[in-house]
Amino acid sequence: MSRRADQIGAHRAAYARNRKRIFATQDYCGICGKPIDKSLKSPDPMAGCIDHIVPIAKGGHPSAIDNLQLAHWTCNRQKSDKLFREPTQKEPVVLGNRNLPQSMDWASYRAP
Ligand SMILES: [Zn+2]
């Protein structure tokens, strides 16, 4: 996927503008609903950051204010971890006594 540089530039300008607006007008995390202390700064996990409501990777708009909200850094991080986990990914199968064959034909068994 390639994007023209001027489009990225336009998004970047709109994003910076909307980011300022959100920090000026919103006080609560859009993910957990708790207040955000704007005096905290990254890398504090409770610092405010801008969250894409629909992630760009999922087709969300990169800079529209409708797709942006204030969120705790840590909430944003947890949300993206969930969203980006592949749906086909499964818990590792633990091979224990229970998944081993329950019966064996001992008559034909030969020691290796
Ligand atoms: Zn939060």
Side-chain angles (χ1 to χ4, degrees):
M1 188 172 71
S2 70
R3 275 190 182 144
R4 282 174 48 187
D6 58 338
Q7 282 178 321
I8 294 171
H11 278 313
R12 215 171 264 165
Y15 177 83
R17 206 168 47 239
N18 289 334
R19 182 181 189 279
K20 244 187 216 169
R21 209 158 117 192
I22 284 167
F23 267 96
T25 58
Q26 297 185 13
D27 295 304
Y28 293 90
C29 171
I31 298 171
C32 74
K34 293 189 182 124
I36 289 175
D37 183 349
K38 289 180 198 164
S39 65
L40 297 174
K41 294 270 175 269
S42 168
D44 192 304
M46 296 311 276
C49 72
I50 297 296
D51 173 46
H52 285 90
I53 298 169
V54 180
I56 301 167
K58 299 272 174 187
H61 197 285
S63 60
I65 197 149
D66 292 349
N67 194 37
L68 302 174
Q69 66 183 353
L70 193 64
H72 292 115
W73 189 88
T74 183
C75 291
N76 187 28
R77 180 66 189 271
Q78 282 166 28
K79 174 184 157 181
S80 56
D81 282 355
K82 267 181 218 145
L83 278 162
F84 293 115
R85 188 171 295 164
E86 289 297 318
T88 52
Q89 199 175 320
K90 285 186 188 140
E91 295 298 315
V93 178
V94 179
L95 195 65
N97 288 337
R98 283 183 208 181
N99 347 68
L100 289 173
Q102 296 298 307
S103 65
M104 197 168 196
D105 184 4
W106 292 106
S108 61
Y109 178 80
R110 298 219 193 293

mmCIF file of all heavy atoms in Angstrom, residues 19-54:
data_model
loop_
_atom_site.group_PDB
_atom_site.id
_atom_site.type_symbol
_atom_site.label_atom_id
_atom_site.label_comp_id
_atom_site.label_asym_id
_atom_site.label_seq_id
_atom_site.Cartn_x
_atom_site.Cartn_y
_atom_site.Cartn_z
ATOM 1 N N ARG A 19 -6.048 16.720 17.674
ATOM 2 C CA ARG A 19 -5.423 16.254 18.910
ATOM 3 C C ARG A 19 -5.451 17.379 19.949
ATOM 4 O O ARG A 19 -5.828 17.169 21.099
ATOM 5 C CB ARG A 19 -3.981 15.864 18.580
ATOM 6 C CG ARG A 19 -3.209 15.319 19.743
ATOM 7 C CD ARG A 19 -1.782 14.983 19.289
ATOM 8 N NE ARG A 19 -1.083 14.259 20.347
ATOM 9 C CZ ARG A 19 -0.519 14.869 21.395
ATOM 10 N NH1 ARG A 19 -0.547 16.178 21.499
ATOM 11 N NH2 ARG A 19 0.066 14.150 22.324
ATOM 12 N N LYS A 20 -5.093 18.582 19.518
ATOM 13 C CA LYS A 20 -5.099 19.756 20.398
ATOM 14 C C LYS A 20 -6.515 20.015 20.904
ATOM 15 O O LYS A 20 -6.732 20.301 22.082
ATOM 16 C CB LYS A 20 -4.627 20.986 19.602
ATOM 17 C CG LYS A 20 -3.322 21.569 20.112
ATOM 18 C CD LYS A 20 -3.028 22.869 19.388
ATOM 19 C CE LYS A 20 -1.537 23.005 19.166
ATOM 20 N NZ LYS A 20 -1.203 24.103 18.259
ATOM 21 N N ARG A 21 -7.463 19.916 19.970
ATOM 22 C CA ARG A 21 -8.858 20.193 20.301
ATOM 23 C C ARG A 21 -9.364 19.186 21.335
ATOM 24 O O ARG A 21 -10.066 19.548 22.277
ATOM 25 C CB ARG A 21 -9.683 20.086 19.013
ATOM 26 C CG ARG A 21 -10.906 20.966 19.034
ATOM 27 C CD ARG A 21 -11.348 21.235 17.634
ATOM 28 N NE ARG A 21 -12.677 20.688 17.401
ATOM 29 C CZ ARG A 21 -13.225 20.574 16.188
ATOM 30 N NH1 ARG A 21 -12.546 20.938 15.120
ATOM 31 N NH2 ARG A 21 -14.432 20.091 16.062
ATOM 32 N N ILE A 22 -9.015 17.928 21.158
ATOM 33 C CA ILE A 22 -9.466 16.891 22.082
ATOM 34 C C ILE A 22 -8.842 17.092 23.460
ATOM 35 O O ILE A 22 -9.525 17.013 24.480
ATOM 36 C CB ILE A 22 -9.165 15.489 21.501
ATOM 37 C CG1 ILE A 22 -10.192 15.190 20.403
ATOM 38 C CG2 ILE A 22 -9.214 14.417 22.584
ATOM 39 C CD1 ILE A 22 -9.869 14.005 19.537
ATOM 40 N N PHE A 23 -7.556 17.392 23.492
ATOM 41 C CA PHE A 23 -6.906 17.636 24.781
ATOM 42 C C PHE A 23 -7.523 18.857 25.472
ATOM 43 O O PHE A 23 -7.568 18.918 26.697
ATOM 44 C CB PHE A 23 -5.388 17.817 24.603
ATOM 45 C CG PHE A 23 -4.625 16.531 24.783
ATOM 46 C CD1 PHE A 23 -4.273 15.748 23.686
ATOM 47 C CD2 PHE A 23 -4.277 16.085 26.056
ATOM 48 C CE1 PHE A 23 -3.582 14.553 23.844
ATOM 49 C CE2 PHE A 23 -3.585 14.887 26.226
ATOM 50 C CZ PHE A 23 -3.243 14.128 25.121
ATOM 51 N N ALA A 24 -8.017 19.825 24.696
ATOM 52 C CA ALA A 24 -8.608 21.033 25.266
ATOM 53 C C ALA A 24 -10.043 20.819 25.716
ATOM 54 O O ALA A 24 -10.524 21.515 26.615
ATOM 55 C CB ALA A 24 -8.552 22.171 24.235
ATOM 56 N N THR A 25 -10.753 19.851 25.118
ATOM 57 C CA THR A 25 -12.194 19.736 25.388
ATOM 58 C C THR A 25 -12.595 18.467 26.120
ATOM 59 O O THR A 25 -13.685 18.404 26.677
ATOM 60 C CB THR A 25 -13.007 19.791 24.071
ATOM 61 O OG1 THR A 25 -12.551 18.735 23.213
ATOM 62 C CG2 THR A 25 -12.828 21.128 23.357
ATOM 63 N N GLN A 26 -11.752 17.434 26.124
ATOM 64 C CA GLN A 26 -12.152 16.181 26.767
ATOM 65 C C GLN A 26 -11.331 15.948 28.040
ATOM 66 O O GLN A 26 -10.160 16.295 28.090
ATOM 67 C CB GLN A 26 -11.976 15.003 25.795
ATOM 68 C CG GLN A 26 -12.875 15.127 24.579
ATOM 69 C CD GLN A 26 -12.801 13.911 23.663
ATOM 70 O OE1 GLN A 26 -12.279 12.860 24.020
ATOM 71 N NE2 GLN A 26 -13.349 14.057 22.458
ATOM 72 N N ASP A 27 -11.969 15.351 29.034
ATOM 73 C CA ASP A 27 -11.299 15.100 30.314
ATOM 74 C C ASP A 27 -11.341 13.638 30.728
ATOM 75 O O ASP A 27 -10.713 13.253 31.697
ATOM 76 C CB ASP A 27 -11.974 15.923 31.421
ATOM 77 C CG ASP A 27 -11.797 17.406 31.183
ATOM 78 O OD1 ASP A 27 -10.650 17.847 31.068
ATOM 79 O OD2 ASP A 27 -12.823 18.113 31.092
ATOM 80 N N TYR A 28 -12.112 12.839 30.007
ATOM 81 C CA TYR A 28 -12.305 11.447 30.412
ATOM 82 C C TYR A 28 -11.779 10.491 29.350
ATOM 83 O O TYR A 28 -11.828 10.799 28.161
ATOM 84 C CB TYR A 28 -13.786 11.172 30.685
ATOM 85 C CG TYR A 28 -14.281 11.918 31.900
ATOM 86 C CD1 TYR A 28 -14.821 13.193 31.778
ATOM 87 C CD2 TYR A 28 -14.177 11.351 33.169
ATOM 88 C CE1 TYR A 28 -15.239 13.896 32.900
ATOM 89 C CE2 TYR A 28 -14.599 12.043 34.288
ATOM 90 C CZ TYR A 28 -15.136 13.318 34.153
ATOM 91 O OH TYR A 28 -15.545 14.000 35.266
ATOM 92 N N CYS A 29 -11.314 9.354 29.847
ATOM 93 C CA CYS A 29 -10.828 8.320 28.943
ATOM 94 C C CYS A 29 -12.012 7.730 28.181
ATOM 95 O O CYS A 29 -13.001 7.333 28.791
ATOM 96 C CB CYS A 29 -10.121 7.252 29.771
ATOM 97 S SG CYS A 29 -9.674 5.782 28.840
ATOM 98 N N GLY A 30 -11.914 7.687 26.872
ATOM 99 C CA GLY A 30 -12.997 7.145 26.049
ATOM 100 C C GLY A 30 -13.109 5.634 26.151
ATOM 101 O O GLY A 30 -14.068 5.051 25.676
ATOM 102 N N ILE A 31 -12.126 4.996 26.752
ATOM 103 C CA ILE A 31 -12.136 3.531 26.839
ATOM 104 C C ILE A 31 -12.634 3.066 28.208
ATOM 105 O O ILE A 31 -13.537 2.242 28.296
ATOM 106 C CB ILE A 31 -10.736 2.968 26.523
ATOM 107 C CG1 ILE A 31 -10.354 3.337 25.077
ATOM 108 C CG2 ILE A 31 -10.707 1.449 26.712
ATOM 109 C CD1 ILE A 31 -8.917 3.038 24.698
ATOM 110 N N CYS A 32 -12.068 3.613 29.305
ATOM 111 C CA CYS A 32 -12.493 3.149 30.635
ATOM 112 C C CYS A 32 -13.443 4.132 31.319
ATOM 113 O O CYS A 32 -14.054 3.783 32.321
ATOM 114 C CB CYS A 32 -11.277 2.860 31.522
ATOM 115 S SG CYS A 32 -10.439 4.339 32.122
ATOM 116 N N GLY A 33 -13.572 5.348 30.789
ATOM 117 C CA GLY A 33 -14.519 6.316 31.333
ATOM 118 C C GLY A 33 -14.032 7.064 32.560
ATOM 119 O O GLY A 33 -14.775 7.854 33.138
ATOM 120 N N LYS A 34 -12.806 6.825 32.982
ATOM 121 C CA LYS A 34 -12.282 7.515 34.161
ATOM 122 C C LYS A 34 -11.553 8.798 33.742
ATOM 123 O O LYS A 34 -11.087 8.909 32.611
ATOM 124 C CB LYS A 34 -11.332 6.579 34.921
ATOM 125 C CG LYS A 34 -12.064 5.408 35.527
ATOM 126 C CD LYS A 34 -11.172 4.613 36.462
ATOM 127 C CE LYS A 34 -11.935 3.413 37.001
ATOM 128 N NZ LYS A 34 -11.240 2.159 36.730
ATOM 129 N N PRO A 35 -11.475 9.768 34.703
ATOM 130 C CA PRO A 35 -10.825 11.031 34.348
ATOM 131 C C PRO A 35 -9.332 10.850 34.056
ATOM 132 O O PRO A 35 -8.697 9.930 34.567
ATOM 133 C CB PRO A 35 -11.034 11.911 35.580
ATOM 134 C CG PRO A 35 -11.447 11.012 36.674
ATOM 135 C CD PRO A 35 -12.005 9.759 36.065
ATOM 136 N N ILE A 36 -8.826 11.741 33.232
ATOM 137 C CA ILE A 36 -7.409 11.695 32.870
ATOM 138 C C ILE A 36 -6.714 12.924 33.443
ATOM 139 O O ILE A 36 -7.184 14.054 33.270
ATOM 140 C CB ILE A 36 -7.239 11.641 31.339
ATOM 141 C CG1 ILE A 36 -7.680 10.267 30.830
ATOM 142 C CG2 ILE A 36 -5.776 11.926 30.933
ATOM 143 C CD1 ILE A 36 -7.671 10.123 29.325
ATOM 144 N N ASP A 37 -5.622 12.696 34.162
ATOM 145 C CA ASP A 37 -4.815 13.778 34.704
ATOM 146 C C ASP A 37 -3.871 14.254 33.604
ATOM 147 O O ASP A 37 -2.904 13.591 33.258
ATOM 148 C CB ASP A 37 -4.031 13.263 35.915
ATOM 149 C CG ASP A 37 -3.218 14.373 36.572
ATOM 150 O OD1 ASP A 37 -3.089 15.464 35.981
ATOM 151 O OD2 ASP A 37 -2.724 14.148 37.688
ATOM 152 N N LYS A 38 -4.202 15.426 33.039
ATOM 153 C CA LYS A 38 -3.429 15.890 31.885
ATOM 154 C C LYS A 38 -2.052 16.431 32.262
ATOM 155 O O LYS A 38 -1.275 16.788 31.387
ATOM 156 C CB LYS A 38 -4.221 16.944 31.120
ATOM 157 C CG LYS A 38 -5.406 16.338 30.384
ATOM 158 C CD LYS A 38 -6.165 17.406 29.639
ATOM 159 C CE LYS A 38 -7.541 16.914 29.287
ATOM 160 N NZ LYS A 38 -8.433 18.016 28.916
ATOM 161 N N SER A 39 -1.781 16.491 33.585
ATOM 162 C CA SER A 39 -0.436 16.927 33.967
ATOM 163 C C SER A 39 0.557 15.768 33.842
ATOM 164 O O SER A 39 1.764 15.971 33.844
ATOM 165 C CB SER A 39 -0.448 17.471 35.399
ATOM 166 O OG SER A 39 -0.754 16.427 36.306
ATOM 167 N N LEU A 40 0.024 14.553 33.737
ATOM 168 C CA LEU A 40 0.902 13.393 33.562
ATOM 169 C C LEU A 40 1.414 13.365 32.129
ATOM 170 O O LEU A 40 0.689 13.671 31.200
ATOM 171 C CB LEU A 40 0.154 12.093 33.869
ATOM 172 C CG LEU A 40 -0.355 11.917 35.300
ATOM 173 C CD1 LEU A 40 -1.207 10.660 35.395
ATOM 174 C CD2 LEU A 40 0.787 11.871 36.291
ATOM 175 N N LYS A 41 2.657 12.976 32.019
ATOM 176 C CA LYS A 41 3.245 12.922 30.682
ATOM 177 C C LYS A 41 3.760 11.524 30.395
ATOM 178 O O LYS A 41 4.177 10.805 31.291
ATOM 179 C CB LYS A 41 4.418 13.917 30.579
ATOM 180 C CG LYS A 41 3.983 15.381 30.690
ATOM 181 C CD LYS A 41 3.661 15.970 29.323
ATOM 182 C CE LYS A 41 3.112 17.385 29.400
ATOM 183 N NZ LYS A 41 1.655 17.476 29.484
ATOM 184 N N SER A 42 3.732 11.172 29.138
ATOM 185 C CA SER A 42 4.325 9.915 28.693
ATOM 186 C C SER A 42 5.778 9.864 29.179
ATOM 187 O O SER A 42 6.437 10.897 29.179
ATOM 188 C CB SER A 42 4.254 9.881 27.163
ATOM 189 O OG SER A 42 5.035 8.857 26.665
ATOM 190 N N PRO A 43 6.287 8.740 29.652
ATOM 191 C CA PRO A 43 5.749 7.371 29.546
ATOM 192 C C PRO A 43 4.869 6.931 30.712
ATOM 193 O O PRO A 43 4.698 5.734 30.903
ATOM 194 C CB PRO A 43 7.021 6.532 29.498
ATOM 195 C CG PRO A 43 7.980 7.278 30.386
ATOM 196 C CD PRO A 43 7.617 8.730 30.257
ATOM 197 N N ASP A 44 4.289 7.859 31.468
ATOM 198 C CA ASP A 44 3.363 7.454 32.529
ATOM 199 C C ASP A 44 2.178 6.723 31.889
ATOM 200 O O ASP A 44 1.547 7.258 30.974
ATOM 201 C CB ASP A 44 2.871 8.701 33.274
ATOM 202 C CG ASP A 44 2.144 8.312 34.555
ATOM 203 O OD1 ASP A 44 1.171 7.539 34.467
ATOM 204 O OD2 ASP A 44 2.549 8.764 35.633
ATOM 205 N N PRO A 45 1.855 5.508 32.349
ATOM 206 C CA PRO A 45 0.774 4.742 31.708
ATOM 207 C C PRO A 45 -0.598 5.387 31.870
ATOM 208 O O PRO A 45 -1.514 5.085 31.117
ATOM 209 C CB PRO A 45 0.824 3.377 32.405
ATOM 210 C CG PRO A 45 1.623 3.582 33.645
ATOM 211 C CD PRO A 45 2.544 4.731 33.389
ATOM 212 N N MET A 46 -0.736 6.301 32.852
ATOM 213 C CA MET A 46 -2.020 6.972 33.040
ATOM 214 C C MET A 46 -2.069 8.329 32.334
ATOM 215 O O MET A 46 -3.036 9.072 32.474
ATOM 216 C CB MET A 46 -2.312 7.149 34.535
ATOM 217 C CG MET A 46 -2.468 5.827 35.291
ATOM 218 S SD MET A 46 -3.581 4.657 34.493
ATOM 219 C CE MET A 46 -5.161 5.254 35.128
ATOM 220 N N ALA A 47 -1.040 8.664 31.591
ATOM 221 C CA ALA A 47 -1.035 9.912 30.831
ATOM 222 C C ALA A 47 -2.081 9.828 29.718
ATOM 223 O O ALA A 47 -2.448 8.743 29.281
ATOM 224 C CB ALA A 47 0.349 10.150 30.247
ATOM 225 N N GLY A 48 -2.539 10.985 29.285
ATOM 226 C CA GLY A 48 -3.521 11.019 28.211
ATOM 227 C C GLY A 48 -2.864 10.808 26.859
ATOM 228 O O GLY A 48 -1.717 11.181 26.654
ATOM 229 N N CYS A 49 -3.597 10.175 25.961
ATOM 230 C CA CYS A 49 -3.113 10.061 24.590
ATOM 231 C C CYS A 49 -4.336 10.070 23.678
ATOM 232 O O CYS A 49 -5.466 10.016 24.143
ATOM 233 C CB CYS A 49 -2.301 8.786 24.389
ATOM 234 S SG CYS A 49 -3.279 7.299 24.394
ATOM 235 N N ILE A 50 -4.077 10.167 22.400
ATOM 236 C CA ILE A 50 -5.175 10.166 21.447
ATOM 237 C C ILE A 50 -5.382 8.749 20.938
ATOM 238 O O ILE A 50 -4.454 8.103 20.467
ATOM 239 C CB ILE A 50 -4.875 11.114 20.262
ATOM 240 C CG1 ILE A 50 -4.737 12.556 20.756
ATOM 241 C CG2 ILE A 50 -5.952 11.005 19.188
ATOM 242 C CD1 ILE A 50 -5.998 13.163 21.357
ATOM 243 N N ASP A 51 -6.625 8.293 21.074
ATOM 244 C CA ASP A 51 -6.972 6.944 20.630
ATOM 245 C C ASP A 51 -7.786 7.037 19.347
ATOM 246 O O ASP A 51 -8.682 7.874 19.234
ATOM 247 C CB ASP A 51 -7.794 6.255 21.734
ATOM 248 C CG ASP A 51 -8.346 4.907 21.281
ATOM 249 O OD1 ASP A 51 -7.580 4.134 20.681
ATOM 250 O OD2 ASP A 51 -9.532 4.651 21.528
ATOM 251 N N HIS A 52 -7.454 6.205 18.380
ATOM 252 C CA HIS A 52 -8.303 6.078 17.190
ATOM 253 C C HIS A 52 -9.431 5.118 17.560
ATOM 254 O O HIS A 52 -9.175 3.950 17.879
ATOM 255 C CB HIS A 52 -7.507 5.521 16.014
ATOM 256 C CG HIS A 52 -6.588 6.522 15.395
ATOM 257 N ND1 HIS A 52 -5.291 6.696 15.810
ATOM 258 C CD2 HIS A 52 -6.794 7.432 14.405
ATOM 259 C CE1 HIS A 52 -4.736 7.662 15.089
ATOM 260 N NE2 HIS A 52 -5.612 8.131 14.243
ATOM 261 N N ILE A 53 -10.665 5.591 17.556
ATOM 262 C CA ILE A 53 -11.801 4.767 17.973
ATOM 263 C C ILE A 53 -11.856 3.512 17.097
ATOM 264 O O ILE A 53 -11.936 2.404 17.597
ATOM 265 C CB ILE A 53 -13.119 5.580 17.906
ATOM 266 C CG1 ILE A 53 -13.020 6.761 18.882
ATOM 267 C CG2 ILE A 53 -14.324 4.695 18.227
ATOM 268 C CD1 ILE A 53 -14.114 7.797 18.742
ATOM 269 N N VAL A 54 -11.811 3.713 15.788
ATOM 270 C CA VAL A 54 -11.623 2.582 14.868
ATOM 271 C C VAL A 54 -10.174 2.679 14.389
ATOM 272 O O VAL A 54 -9.800 3.659 13.764
ATOM 273 C CB VAL A 54 -12.581 2.652 13.656
ATOM 274 C CG1 VAL A 54 -12.346 1.467 12.723
ATOM 275 C CG2 VAL A 54 -14.030 2.688 14.118
#
